[in-house]
Amino acid sequence: MTPDKYIKNYIDGALLPAASGEYFDNFNPAVGKVYSHIPDSDERDVQQALEAAERAFPEWSKTEPSTRFRILTRIADIIEQNLDDFARAESIDSGKPFAMARSVDIPRAHQNLRFFATAILHFSSESHPMQNEAINYTLRQPIGVVGCISPWNLPLYLFTWKIAPALAAGNCVIGKPSEMTPMTAYMLSKACSEAGLPAGVLNILHGHGAKVGQAIVEHPKIKAISFTGGTNTGKKIISTAGPMFKKLSLELGGKNPNIIFADCDFDEMMMTTLRSSFSNNGQICLCGSRIYVERPIYEKFKEELVKRTQFIKVGDPFSAVTDLGALVSEQHMKKVMSYISLAEVEGGTVLCGGTPVEMKGEYSEGYFLRPAVIEGLPHTCRTNQEEIFGPVVTIAPFDTEEEVIEYANSTQFGLAATVWTKDISKANRVAEKIESGIVWVNCWMVRDLRTPFGGVKSSGVGREGGLEALRFFTEQKNVCIKYS
Ligand code: NDP
């Protein structure tokens, strides 16, 4: 399965150009050059997709769960059989190492499809008997046509995380991947056709978020929106869809604390902290970007973190020895670097990294940055309050549990937190007090797809994952039957 130069929309089972007939450029961030073209879709494409989805809905919503299971599983099989092609495309589109796309992104994409294909077979609803009077039972019915909008950091991984439960629950979907990384969603369109997904059940539109994404959110007949992306975009989506009373699931930004107590397993913590700081260039919403270390081990930690960060190999995404590839775009690289300058203005010291990597040959124009560790900043400054979403962490010492909980909870975000300690009571106390949707103790990114996933405060509204996602993508109806 090879990627094409001209990406197409997937509407009513066909691969089509945008109604505008226009395309815009898709960059390979590792070489800093255009390598393919994205259809510039707008509200006309949304309307066409909506009509196709509405035609498909009556039949799809009534298919047996076992039929949906079979088709979604077939799509998963096709992705798995074409693992290398999908991973290569993901790497070229996003700048991440091929090895990471091959071992994390693409496997998780077919796992998402399999997970929800299976989950729908086990999905059930409640009944509430009223003694000697009546019985209530809850119907959970598909909503209709729903919108799924995903970001660029884990492209196919997050796109399938949304569309799989939506389709499994019997909805028809209009999906929009990020304009930065559309290629694997385009390849997914072909996999859907090959797997026999009926026309119109899934429609994938490409283009600018502010144009085609906004048109999806605005369309009165698209009844629910599942969105993952930045908090500011989330605000815009709420302000459009809220007054229309659409069902909304919003997975937004984070500024996650990583809390390290002196009694932790130091080696295990160091190994995982390096990953939780810089995996995918820090472009994972769950990365821990504010590291608080109990004072007795602060200096040892700092020395070790800086040493290991300097060993990280940034470069050619297709080299087997590369740890980090390119950032997703020139604009994003500039944004990340502006935060490094800001940190210095705010009084921070950059202990390592934060400068572009000078590459030779093919990659000389790519967006490569050395991972940065910064210290000396108060928890209240902008560098420690705003989401950078790059390979940048700040470190600071703390003395007491109360103090570090205050630091951890001091931002507008509340997505994920990590706590390192061997003291189980302390771990439980801290986990309970941290304002976030997810807390990892002595680990990071250990994911069970059945668990509720999402954030509090400005990190989101609602939960994805397991039955939560199937509940989101269904409407409940209580049926009450009286008997005598
Ligand atoms: P954006 O919010 O910029 O974009 C997310 C998606 O929304 C893209 O497909 C984008 O399209 C689209 N979009 C943009 N504007 C609109 C609009 N007005 N209406 C509808 N859709 C729109 O986020 P990024 O892609 O930059 O992703 C990074 C962000 O995602 C970070 O803040 C990160 O924390 C967050 N994130 C959160 C996760 C979570 O689970 N909580 C997981 C992963 C990331 P286009 O790209 O074409 O502009």
Side-chain angles (χ1 to χ4, degrees):
M1 194 174 277
T2 48
D4 299 331
K5 237 177 153 35
Y6 284 84
I7 289 172
K8 299 277 190 310
N9 286 334
Y10 178 56
I11 302 178
D12 208 8
L15 297 175
L16 303 171
S20 67
E22 302 291 327
Y23 288 86
F24 61 96
D25 294 337
N26 188 23
F27 281 76
N28 172 341
V31 300
K33 292 196 172 65
V34 175
Y35 86 103
S36 68
H37 306 276
I38 305 168
D40 188 2
S41 310
D42 57 30
E43 69 284 353
R44 291 169 289 177
D45 304 282
V46 175
Q47 184 59 33
Q48 198 184 346
L50 184 272
E51 286 167 16
E54 282 194 320
R55 278 194 301 276
F57 181 70
E59 202 170 323
W60 180 250
S61 58
K62 299 240 158 27
T63 51
E64 289 296 324
S66 57
T67 304
R68 285 179 242 147
F69 162 82
R70 263 202 314 278
I71 295 176
L72 291 177
T73 306
R74 252 184 252 143
I75 301 171
D77 288 345
I78 294 168
I79 295 174
E80 191 171 17
Q81 284 152 13
N82 292 278
L83 172 66
D84 282 352
D85 289 348
F86 272 93
R88 195 173 302 110
E90 203 71 292
S91 168
I92 292 171
D93 229 14
S94 66
K96 71 178 67 193
F98 170 71
M100 181 186 184
R102 194 176 188 285
S103 61
V104 179
D105 292 67
I106 307 304
R108 180 54 194 278
H110 61 72
Q111 280 159 22
N112 288 338
L113 286 152
R114 289 212 173 86
F115 178 83
F116 286 108
T118 313
I120 201 62
L121 300 177
H122 301 271
F123 194 43
S124 59
S125 60
E126 309 79 22
S127 93
H128 300 92
M130 300 165 73
Q131 203 69 46
N132 301 325
E133 188 181 356
I135 182 146
N136 296 274
Y137 65 89
T138 311
L139 279 179
R140 286 191 178 271
Q141 298 171 306
I143 299 171
V145 181
V146 301
C148 295
I149 302 176
S150 57
W152 48 258
N153 61 324
L154 297 164
L156 194 64
Y157 174 136
L158 289 175
F159 193 61
T160 51
W161 181 235
K162 293 185 174 303
I163 63 160
L167 296 171
N171 300 283
C172 290
V173 176
I174 301 182
K176 196 204 95 64
S178 169
E179 69 189 60
M180 303 283 171
T181 52
M183 192 56 89
T184 48
Y186 171 56
M187 292 165 73
L188 175 72
S189 323
K190 297 184 184 181
C192 289
S193 293
E194 198 180 323
L197 186 73
V201 169
L202 171 65
N203 304 275
I204 303 177
L205 302 181
H206 299 277
H208 297 293
K211 197 195 268 184
V212 66
Q214 182 68 21
I216 292 171
V217 177
E218 279 173 6
H219 200 295
K221 291 197 166 164
I222 299 176
K223 297 177 186 158
I225 302 289
S226 173
F227 169 81
T228 299
T231 292
N232 285 336
T233 317
K235 275 186 199 155
K236 183 119 210 298
I237 289 174
I238 289 197
S239 69
T240 307
M244 299 171 86
F245 304 109
K246 293 193 183 199
K247 223 175 163 186
L248 285 177
S249 169
L250 303 174
E251 300 296 337
L252 308 176
K255 187 76 181 173
N256 308 313
N258 178 4
I259 300 172
I260 299 166
F261 287 98
D263 65 354
C264 69
D265 178 331
F266 191 85
D267 293 340
E268 178 77 28
M269 176 279 296
M270 268 322 301
M271 223 163 55
T272 306
T273 290
L274 208 65
R275 284 197 306 115
S276 67
S277 303
F278 300 123
S279 280
N280 203 35
N281 261 320
Q283 302 168 137
I284 300 180
C285 54
L286 304 165
C287 279
S289 53
R290 297 178 292 145
I291 308 179
Y292 297 115
V293 187
E294 207 171 8
R295 201 174 301 275
I297 61 164
Y298 181 76
E299 288 303 324
K300 179 180 171 194
F301 171 84
K302 172 172 135 181
E303 193 182 317
E304 195 61 30
L305 181 69
V306 170
K307 191 171 86 192
R308 293 191 192 203
T309 302
Q310 286 169 327
F311 271 122
I312 290 176
K313 178 96 184 66
V314 185
D316 177 359
F318 286 91
S319 159
V321 298
T322 293
D323 299 307
L324 302 181
L327 296 189
V328 76
S329 68
E330 185 178 16
Q331 189 194 5
H332 190 56
M333 172 128 159
K334 283 185 178 154
K335 177 191 146 183
V336 174
M337 290 186 69
S338 78
Y339 272 102
I340 291 162
S341 307
L342 174 69
E344 288 177 312
V345 171
E346 290 183 318
T349 305
V350 180
L351 300 174
C352 65
T355 51
V357 180
E358 303 298 332
M359 301 282 292
K360 294 208 171 66
E362 188 188 358
Y363 297 114
S364 61
E365 306 288 310
Y367 316 127
F368 297 93
L369 189 65
R370 285 191 184 81
V373 179
I374 303 172
E375 78 164 347
L377 289 168
H379 67 281
T380 48
C381 71
R382 279 186 57 205
T383 310
N384 272 331
Q385 291 288 320
E386 297 176 14
E387 185 182 42
I388 301 174
F389 214 55
V392 181
V393 292
T394 63
I395 59 172
F398 70 90
D399 294 299
T400 67
E401 237 173 274
E402 293 68 33
E403 177 193 4
V404 78
I405 288 165
E406 186 197 327
Y407 295 167
N409 291 343
S410 67
T411 74
Q412 62 162 318
F413 300 105
L415 187 54
T418 312
V419 181
W420 289 94
T421 175
K422 282 188 191 151
D423 178 342
I424 191 72
S425 298
K426 186 157 51 182
N428 283 318
R429 276 197 308 271
V430 174
E432 196 179 298
K433 289 183 189 141
I434 284 183
E435 295 164 357
S436 71
I438 301 156
V439 179
W440 276 295
V441 177
N442 298 331
C443 60
W444 177 73
M445 274 296 256
V446 175
R447 289 280 291 118
D448 179 331
L449 301 188
R450 294 170 300 178
T451 58
F453 180 94
V456 300
K457 304 200 283 189
S458 303
S459 287
V461 178
R463 292 291 180 277
E464 297 185 333
L467 296 180
E468 299 293 335
L470 293 178
R471 289 192 188 114
F472 173 76
F473 283 116
T474 48
E475 278 294 5
Q476 301 179 55
K477 183 187 290 172
N478 187 63
V479 180
C480 177
I481 309 170
K482 187 164 177 0
Y483 62 91
S484 50

